[in-house]
């Protein structure tokens, strides 16, 4: 059989089979890394196999608590707790952050939201790079983020036995603050120990036959080629995929706290049955969450206007500028034969779905990251002579998250409990909770970070009913069946209990979201189900279809 007898779809399979039979190496993947904050070159498998990191966070607290019998019927309780959650570090000196702290996340555009965001021609920043900070590092005086020292958490409560009521009635209430800053070492392993420039993955497919039998040095050339990239170097814009996600910590990141409060009345209905009705709630403040820095800009750079012109069948000068001279297979060369940039986008299978769906955020991200137009990833910008940050603040990366204290939540509930103390072989409890849990459900408007979308959280369950109980089964000397049993027979059949547990809860809240980026690429989108909007949208789709048919003719 000669090569001309092979179907084109079988060539890869034949090449793989040949490589397996001949014992050659089809591809090599090499991970290079550093195990010292002062390293000037990579470590690889020839000198060590361990990627060494030792994360630490020193947390400590102390508390005092006391209760005071103020009167025969009133008891008061007081408490004060202090929590100190430390800043994470790596004891080998390998804990890192982006150079300059949170300001380094903004890259070439600037150093803050005020100077960098929604400014497509901003240029007051520099390439995002990394640095080692914290204990044992070259910069022990710098931290991943600042210390938070003022975490005092008081608590107070009371219990009052109402003396003038015939049945025992107790009124209880309380208020307290708790801080929640337990370390998340899984996040630390990515956001502190594995920053860009700390390691490098290199893939190579040798062009010729590579025989490893007794000759490991046959791969030296492959490893040497990988060494052209050095540690800790900023990602160059020309070679960046513009899609890698990064997360950095806010300089003033603090510990979230929760205020808890309750008030209840408990009353004895009978000697063995009590009813308790209460209000239980909490307010969580300064919860940890991320702010997206690299949302796509579609307003100030004119992309939204160009998109709408294109979607309505017109020709946008901005797209002519981006795509001028670009040849698209099966479509033609923009700027020749009457082919415009808008027309090319409407006809290309890479982009026409964005136009048809009204997904301006998706198209903006495609233009910012794709190499479909030549000149590398984001080549459409270079082709049009536009700045690298024309669409996103930091074009070195894709998603750029600033981890800070951006959200809050509230919980309020009516809680009732009916309890039966053990009597006549039975004890049980029935409870009902009616509650609502509200909090941040995503950012809808990337241009107004202070107005997070408050709504019902996914873990909210409006109604919860629980019932538990224990029944002594009537067997053995203490029951009705086998009451004359003695010895081993009594021990075998007696002492059994039935203990059912029943729980019912209402379902999770429904949410309607859309993957269509009408405000940006990374912002959350909710469905708009207004009929008049649907009619307008349908008409727009029909206009676009007609335009595409005319262009193909």
């Amino acid at each position: 059989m000669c090569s001309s007898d092979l179907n084109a779809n079988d060539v890869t399979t034949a090449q793989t089979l040949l490589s397996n039979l001949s014992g050659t190496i089809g591809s090599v993947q090499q991970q290079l890394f550093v195990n010292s904050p002062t390293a000037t070159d990579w470590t690889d498998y020839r000198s060590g196999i361990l990627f060494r990191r030792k994360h630490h966070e020193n947390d400590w607290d102390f508390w005092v608590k006391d209760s005071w019998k103020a009167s025969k019927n009133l008891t008061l309780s007081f408490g004060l707790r202090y929590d100190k959650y430390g800043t994470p570090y790596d004891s080998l000196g390998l804990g890192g952050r982006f150079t300059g702290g949170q300001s380094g996340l903004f890259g070439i555009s600037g150093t803050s939201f005020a100077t960098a965001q929604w400014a497509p021609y901003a240029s007051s920043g520099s390439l995002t790079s990394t640095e080692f900070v914290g204990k044992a590092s070259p910069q022990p005086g710098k931290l991943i983020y600042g210390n938070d020292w003022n975490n005092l958490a008081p608590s107070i409560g009371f219990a009052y036995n109402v003396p003038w009521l015939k049945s025992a009635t107790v009124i209880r209430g309380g208020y307290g603050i708790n801080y929640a800053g337990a370390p998340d070492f899984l996040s630390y392993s990515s956001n502190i120990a594995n920053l860009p420039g700390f390691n490098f993955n290199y893939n190579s497919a040798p062009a010729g036959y590579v025989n490893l039998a007794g000759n490991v040095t046959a791969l030296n050339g492959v490893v040497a080629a990988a060494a052209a990239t050095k540690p800790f170097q900023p990602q160059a814009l020309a070679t960046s995929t513009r899609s890698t996600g990064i997360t950095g910590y806010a300089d003033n990141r603090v510990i979230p706290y929760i205020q808890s409060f309750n008030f209840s009345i408990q009353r004895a209905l009978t000697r063995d049955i009590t009813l308790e009705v209460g209000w239980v709630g909490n307010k969580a403040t300064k919860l940890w969450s991320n702010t997206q820095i690299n949302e796509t800009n579609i307003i100030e750079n004119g992309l939204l206007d160009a998109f709408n012109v294109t979607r309505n069948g017109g020709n946008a000068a901005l797209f002519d500028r981006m795509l001028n001279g670009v040849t698209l297979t099966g479509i033609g060369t923009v700027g020749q034969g009457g082919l415009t940039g808008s027309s090319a986008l409407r006809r290309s299978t890479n982009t026409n779905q964005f136009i048809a769906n009204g997904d301006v955020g998706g198209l903006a991200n495609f233009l910012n990251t794709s190499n479909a137009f030549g000149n590398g990833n984001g080549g459409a910008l270079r082709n049009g002579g536009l700045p690298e940050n024309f669409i996103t603040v930091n074009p070195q990366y894709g998603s750029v998250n600033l981890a800070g204290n951006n959200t809050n939540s509230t919980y309020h509930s009516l809680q009732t409990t009916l309890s039966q103390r053990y009597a006549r072989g039975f004890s049980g409890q029935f409870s009902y909770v009616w509650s609502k849990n509200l909090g941040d459900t995503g950012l809808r408007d990337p241009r107004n970070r202070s107005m997070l979308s408050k709504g019902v959280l996914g873990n909210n369950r409006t109604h919860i009913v629980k019932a538990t109980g224990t029944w002594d089964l009537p067997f053995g000397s203490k029951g009705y069946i086998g009451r004359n049993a003695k010895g081993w027979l009594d021990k075998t059949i007696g002492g059994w209990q039935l203990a059912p547990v029943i729980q019912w809860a209402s379902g999770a809240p429904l949410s309607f979201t859309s993957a269509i980026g009408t405000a940006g690429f990374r912002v959350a989108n909710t469905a708009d189900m207004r009929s008049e909007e649907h009619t307008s949208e349908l008409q727009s789709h029909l206009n676009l279809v007609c335009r595409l048919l005319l262009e193909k003719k």
Side-chain angles (χ1 to χ4, degrees), residues 386-400:
L386 298 168
E388 297 284 345
N389 58 346
F390 188 70
I391 296 176
T392 58
V393 169
N394 191 341
Q396 290 173 258
Y397 300 101
S399 173
V400 179

Side-chain angles (χ1 to χ4, degrees), residues 246-269:
I246 59 173
T247 298
Y249 293 101
D251 296 339
N252 60 349
R253 189 175 191 248
V254 297
I255 305 301
Y257 65 94
I258 301 97
Q259 301 175 76
S260 301
F261 26 82
N262 63 83
F263 180 83
S264 66
I265 300 176
Q266 178 181 305
R267 182 173 175 82
L269 302 181

Side-chain angles (χ1 to χ4, degrees), residues 17 31 109 112 133 186 222 320 350 418 424 429 443 533:
L17 178 62
Q31 184 184 54
S109 296
S112 67
V133 297
L186 184 61
V222 175
D320 287 338
N350 290 325
L418 184 67
R424 296 174 294 280
Q429 186 177 83
L443 184 64
E533 293 292 339

Side-chain angles (χ1 to χ4, degrees), residues 87 97 99-100 131-135 137 139-145:
T87 299
R97 69 173 188 179
T99 304
E131 61 181 348
F132 289 110
V133 297
K135 294 181 180 180
S137 77
Q139 302 182 98
K142 294 182 178 180
L143 302 175
I144 303 297
Y145 53 84

Side-chain angles (χ1 to χ4, degrees), residues 142-418:
K142 294 182 178 180
L143 302 175
I144 303 297
Y145 53 84
N147 279 302
D148 185 14
W149 294 100
N150 60 343
N151 298 331
L152 286 170
S155 63
I156 185 171
F158 75 92
Y160 179 63
N161 186 17
V162 182
W164 57 83
L165 296 178
K166 293 182 179 180
S167 298
T169 302
V170 181
I171 300 175
R172 298 183 179 91
Y175 170 84
I177 296 177
N178 295 283
Y179 286 85
D184 182 357
F185 289 107
L186 184 61
S187 295
Y188 294 165
S189 66
S190 299
N191 302 337
I192 295 175
N194 201 24
L195 296 178
F198 287 17
N199 61 69
F200 179 67
N201 290 314
Y202 181 79
N203 295 286
S204 174
Y209 177 77
V210 178
N211 180 15
L212 291 184
N215 184 19
V216 178
T217 58
L219 290 179
N220 282 347
V222 175
V223 175
T229 300
K230 296 298 181 182
F232 317 130
Q233 297 301 309
Q235 176 67 61
L237 290 170
T239 59
S240 171
T241 63
R242 307 166 81 99
S243 60
T244 301
I246 59 173
T247 298
Y249 293 101
D251 296 339
N252 60 349
R253 189 175 191 248
V254 297
I255 305 301
Y257 65 94
I258 301 97
Q259 301 175 76
S260 301
F261 26 82
N262 63 83
F263 180 83
S264 66
I265 300 176
Q266 178 181 305
R267 182 173 175 82
L269 302 181
T270 68
R271 178 180 177 182
D272 300 316
I273 299 176
T274 59
L275 173 66
E276 183 173 6
V277 179
W279 164 59
V280 177
N282 64 57
K283 170 68 169 66
T285 306
K286 297 183 178 179
L287 295 175
W288 285 337
S289 61
N290 294 334
T291 298
Q292 180 58 241
I293 291 176
N294 240 18
E295 183 55 79
T296 51
N297 184 359
I298 60 173
I299 304 295
E300 288 77 7
N301 52 19
L303 266 175
L304 179 59
D305 292 336
F307 179 86
N308 288 332
V309 168
T310 301
R311 197 170 187 226
N312 289 323
N315 297 308
L318 178 60
F319 292 150
D320 287 338
R321 179 178 178 181
M322 287 183 174
L323 305 183
N324 185 47
V326 173
T327 300
L328 301 177
T329 303
I331 298 176
T333 301
V334 177
Q336 298 180 15
L339 181 63
T340 65
S342 292
S343 178
L345 293 176
R346 286 192 293 262
R347 296 172 60 183
S348 172
T349 56
N350 290 325
T351 56
N352 57 16
Q353 73 274 18
F354 299 125
I355 307 296
N357 293 329
D359 190 355
V360 61
L363 179 63
N365 181 70
F366 185 81
L367 294 171
N368 182 61
T369 61
S370 176
N371 61 1
F373 308 112
N375 288 330
N377 297 89
L381 303 180
R382 301 184 191 103
N383 189 68
L386 298 168
E388 297 284 345
N389 58 346
F390 188 70
I391 296 176
T392 58
V393 169
N394 191 341
Q396 290 173 258
Y397 300 101
S399 173
V400 179
N401 283 308
L402 176 62
N405 304 86
N406 307 304
T407 61
N408 306 283
S409 70
T410 57
Y411 172 82
H412 294 281
S413 66
L414 169 68
Q415 301 189 7
T416 62
T417 304
L418 184 67

Side-chain angles (χ1 to χ4, degrees), residues 44-59:
D44 59 46
Y45 72 94
R46 295 172 297 179
S47 55
I49 61 173
L50 296 179
F51 185 79
R52 301 176 60 208
R53 296 294 186 271
K54 292 185 178 181
H55 300 142
H56 295 266
E57 181 178 301
N58 298 325
D59 302 340

